[in-house]
Amino acid sequence: MAKGTTFTTLLFFLLIITFLSIAISTPTNFIKSSCSTTQYPTLCVESLSTYASTIQQDPHQLVQTAISISLNKTQSTKDFVTRCKNIKGLKAREYAALHDCSEEISDSVDRLIRSLKELKICKIKGEDFNWHISNVETWVSSALTDETTCGDGFGGKALNGRIKASIRSRMINVAQVTSNALALVNHYASNH
Ligand SMILES: *[C@@H]1O[C@H](CO)[C@@H](O)[C@H](O)[C@H]1NC(C)=O
């Protein structure tokens, strides 16, 4: 009897938690329609929905969140590449590819940090919006180039096996997230 009650209570709470998490991550129409202009709309909706309550219907907040997601993903990919570089027994060319990649991805992180700073200025009254948003576009676009270059370095035959596969898939994912952020920035810039 007592056991049954505990189980029912547990089930009840699980149900509530499930409903709550669905409610929290339900994409708003604003996010959905904004994401429809990106190249990877499903990924876009997926990653932005978690922040729906912060974004509301604010295009500036949407762009800021998208770049921030891209930055965080790029940062964690950078950490992963750095860990891979420390694996013992790497061949010279594997180490070289990882080294190049970690420099590119560091640049990418720096550019995304700059673009977030620049985006903040766009909101300041009296500042030239068009100039600052075009800088944001430039930084995010070159961050994407760096990520793509790094991914391409792992596309050839220089590297084999698991490291190559896992770095490549991470780079593809992070580049897609950044590509979406760029599309949202461009859209924001041209609609202003
Ligand atoms: C990115 O990471 C920073 C620092 O850890 C955090 O404050 C911020 O909320 C994160 N951004 C997103 C969009 O998750």
Side-chain angles (χ1 to χ4, degrees):
M1 182 72 176
K3 250 185 193 162
T5 314
T6 314
F7 184 69
T8 313
T9 312
L10 197 72
L11 212 65
F12 179 69
F13 276 113
L14 273 178
L15 217 66
I16 289 189
I17 289 167
T18 311
F19 276 128
L20 276 179
S21 55
I22 290 171
I24 288 167
S25 61
T26 296
T28 58
N29 286 334
F30 175 65
I31 291 178
K32 275 193 214 158
S33 69
S34 306
C35 284
S36 68
T37 64
T38 67
Q39 214 175 337
Y40 310 98
T42 312
L43 177 68
C44 176
V45 171
E46 225 174 67
S47 48
L48 286 171
S49 293
T50 322
Y51 306 94
S53 59
T54 321
I55 295 170
Q56 306 272 334
Q57 310 247 1
D58 180 351
H60 188 276
Q61 190 61 46
L62 176 87
V63 169
Q64 190 189 312
T65 308
I67 299 177
S68 175
I69 292 170
S70 161
L71 170 62
N72 289 7
K73 252 194 186 304
T74 308
Q75 180 65 55
S76 65
T77 308
K78 177 187 161 184
D79 297 343
F80 178 77
V81 173
T82 307
R83 283 202 300 279
C84 286
K85 246 171 70 182
N86 295 329
I87 293 173
K88 291 200 174 76
L90 288 175
K91 295 187 184 100
R93 60 167 184 243
E94 291 173 331
Y95 185 83
L98 285 166
H99 182 76
D100 289 350
C101 183
S102 80
E103 300 218 318
E104 279 142 16
I105 201 162
S106 285
D107 287 346
S108 181
V109 168
D110 293 343
R111 285 166 194 185
L112 290 168
I113 290 172
R114 273 187 192 223
S115 72
L116 276 177
K117 283 187 188 150
E118 200 66 39
L119 183 68
K120 272 201 189 120
I121 305 176
C122 290
K123 249 176 106 169
I124 300 173
K125 248 193 175 157
E127 286 286 344
D128 184 349
F129 177 88
N130 290 330
W131 163 248
H132 292 292
I133 199 70
S134 80
N135 291 338
V136 177
E137 290 177 285
T138 306
W139 293 124
V140 178
S141 164
S142 50
L144 177 60
T145 305
D146 284 323
E147 290 167 7
T148 312
T149 311
C150 175
D152 290 348
F154 289 86
K157 291 200 169 130
L159 290 163
N160 292 310
R162 273 214 305 231
I163 300 180
K164 173 176 158 176
S166 71
I167 290 194
R168 226 177 119 62
S169 71
R170 273 164 208 257
M171 290 316 303
I172 288 170
N173 179 262
V174 78
Q176 288 180 348
V177 169
T178 306
S179 148
N180 282 346
L182 180 59
L184 295 173
V185 175
N186 289 339
H187 194 246
Y188 178 48
S190 62
N191 269 18
H192 195 266

